[in-house]
Amino acid sequence: MTYQQRSTFTNNPTAKKLFELMDSKQTNLAIAADVTTKAEILKIAQELGSEICVLKTHIDIIVDFDQELTKELRELADKHNFLIFEDRKFADIGNTVQYQYRDGIYHIVEWADITNAHIVPGQGVIEGLKEVGLPKGRGLLLLAEMSSAENLAVGDYTQKAIEWAQKYDDFVIGFIGMKKLIDNPKFIVMTPGVKLAAGTDNLKQQYNTPEKVISGGSDVIIVGRGIYKAEDPQAEAKKYREAGWEAYKKRN
Ligand code: 5BU
């Protein structure tokens, strides 16, 4: 099924928008913009915006963060037609994650289309985030699997994530996973740990190629250092975009 066709299976507005823009823009590339200054992240959003479906942020690593930044990122997202995914990995009781999602200095729910959560606290983490995010049409990804070596998100844990995603499918739009996890077209799988050359880093990150990830049934490749550390990030982003899209076309 095409991304466009899959958009009709979900009622979540963010999931719909993502499927539609991936198809119209012809990209399944997300960039992990793991840089530490406003200037750097804005440069990435500006220069790579036309190549990507999703800009993934770690907003709490920006040393000169201010409210202007999220406003500007939002403007760039609307201008270049990509979604913003704050990779916050919420992991507390429902009441606490509500504060973390809505309040503090980041007000994540105000500007991030998508965020994600560990399921280790149980279903309360999903319910808490949903009360804050769903009225704004936001979407949540559950961490069903991770990319790092020897991580514990395997087996029954992964199965629980799949079960709870179906239970809360108005708000949970899919997973962080390494492959296709469930035969239901409404759920999106995004995969980190992607590089044109498979391998590892020195801190137990594990990389697969775009071809392997997409042919395995994942929908979005998340690429960080493979792009932003390259000499010419724009040219590199085009390569990843093409590799991801070719693999998708081959699959369909
Ligand atoms: P890299 O530079 O392409 O290795 O960056 C990967 C990004 O994906 C980085 O922002 C991580 O925080 C993020 N990530 C990951 O690498 N593995 C995971 O399982 C999850 C997130 Br969840």
Side-chain angles (χ1 to χ4, degrees), residues 59-62 65 67 70 103-109 111:
I59 204 68
D60 57 353
I61 68 176
I62 305 286
F65 174 86
Q67 306 302 324
T70 45
D103 303 308
I105 55 174
Y106 299 119
H107 309 284
I108 293 165
V109 73
W111 51 271

Side-chain angles (χ1 to χ4, degrees), residues 32-34 56 58 87 89 116 118 143 145-148 176 178 192-195 201 205 207 222-226 228:
D34 295 337
K56 190 177 81 60
H58 283 300
D87 189 359
K89 299 187 182 71
N116 57 355
H118 286 292
L143 282 100
E145 295 180 321
M146 292 190 73
S147 63
S148 42
I176 296 293
M178 299 299 115
V194 177
K195 261 196 175 171
D201 73 0
Q205 172 72 301
Y207 291 108
I222 300 174
V223 183
R225 284 165 285 180
Y228 69 78

Side-chain angles (χ1 to χ4, degrees), residues 8-59:
T8 61
F9 286 81
T10 173
N11 288 322
N12 180 283
T14 294
K16 262 191 201 302
K17 192 169 166 193
L18 178 57
F19 278 132
E20 282 166 7
L21 85 84
M22 285 165 77
D23 226 333
S24 66
K25 220 174 152 180
Q26 305 210 335
T27 176
N28 51 20
L29 171 64
I31 174 113
D34 295 337
V35 290
T36 56
T37 64
K38 280 170 56 179
E40 287 170 291
I41 196 168
L42 288 168
K43 186 160 186 262
I44 287 175
Q46 181 72 263
E47 291 182 354
L48 307 184
S50 58
E51 308 294 333
I52 59 175
C53 59
V54 168
L55 178 80
K56 190 177 81 60
T57 57
H58 283 300
I59 204 68

Side-chain angles (χ1 to χ4, degrees), residues 30-232:
I31 174 113
D34 295 337
V35 290
T36 56
T37 64
K38 280 170 56 179
E40 287 170 291
I41 196 168
L42 288 168
K43 186 160 186 262
I44 287 175
Q46 181 72 263
E47 291 182 354
L48 307 184
S50 58
E51 308 294 333
I52 59 175
C53 59
V54 168
L55 178 80
K56 190 177 81 60
T57 57
H58 283 300
I59 204 68
D60 57 353
I61 68 176
I62 305 286
V63 294
D64 54 351
F65 174 86
D66 61 20
Q67 306 302 324
E68 261 318 286
L69 175 61
T70 45
K71 208 176 122 218
E72 284 177 57
L73 285 176
R74 200 57 262 167
E75 282 166 12
L76 287 168
D78 297 338
K79 176 174 168 198
H80 294 290
N81 196 24
F82 59 78
L83 299 189
I84 304 178
F85 165 19
E86 165 58 19
D87 189 359
R88 173 63 179 76
K89 299 187 182 71
F90 291 101
D92 211 323
I93 61 166
N95 188 64
T96 300
V97 297
Q98 288 191 332
Y99 289 126
Q100 293 171 324
Y101 190 20
R102 184 184 53 215
D103 303 308
I105 55 174
Y106 299 119
H107 309 284
I108 293 165
V109 73
E110 296 299 328
W111 51 271
D113 301 284
I114 300 168
T115 191
N116 57 355
H118 286 292
I119 59 158
V120 70
Q123 297 175 40
V125 64
I126 305 171
E127 290 181 9
L129 293 169
K130 178 177 152 172
E131 281 186 15
V132 174
L134 191 59
K136 295 192 181 297
R138 304 308 191 195
L140 180 72
L141 299 172
L142 298 181
L143 282 100
E145 295 180 321
M146 292 190 73
S147 63
S148 42
E150 297 162 284
N151 76 78
L152 304 178
V154 297
D156 288 348
Y157 188 90
T158 301
Q159 288 312 311
K160 269 291 168 212
I162 296 168
E163 184 188 322
W164 293 349
Q166 295 172 86
K167 179 169 175 192
Y168 298 96
D169 68 352
D170 49 353
F171 184 53
V172 177
I173 63 171
F175 308 96
I176 296 293
M178 299 299 115
K179 57 183 182 297
K180 182 173 180 167
L181 295 170
I182 176 175
D183 220 358
N184 182 334
K186 74 168 59 156
F187 292 114
I188 299 163
V189 178
M190 298 197 191
T191 304
V194 177
K195 261 196 175 171
L196 288 171
T200 55
D201 73 0
N202 59 345
L203 293 170
K204 300 199 161 52
Q205 172 72 301
Q206 306 178 115
Y207 291 108
N208 286 306
T209 63
E211 156 71 29
K212 173 152 189 226
V213 165
I214 297 294
S215 68
S218 171
D219 300 306
V220 174
I221 52 170
I222 300 174
V223 183
R225 284 165 285 180
I227 292 176
Y228 69 78
K229 290 270 193 207
E231 212 159 290
D232 184 346

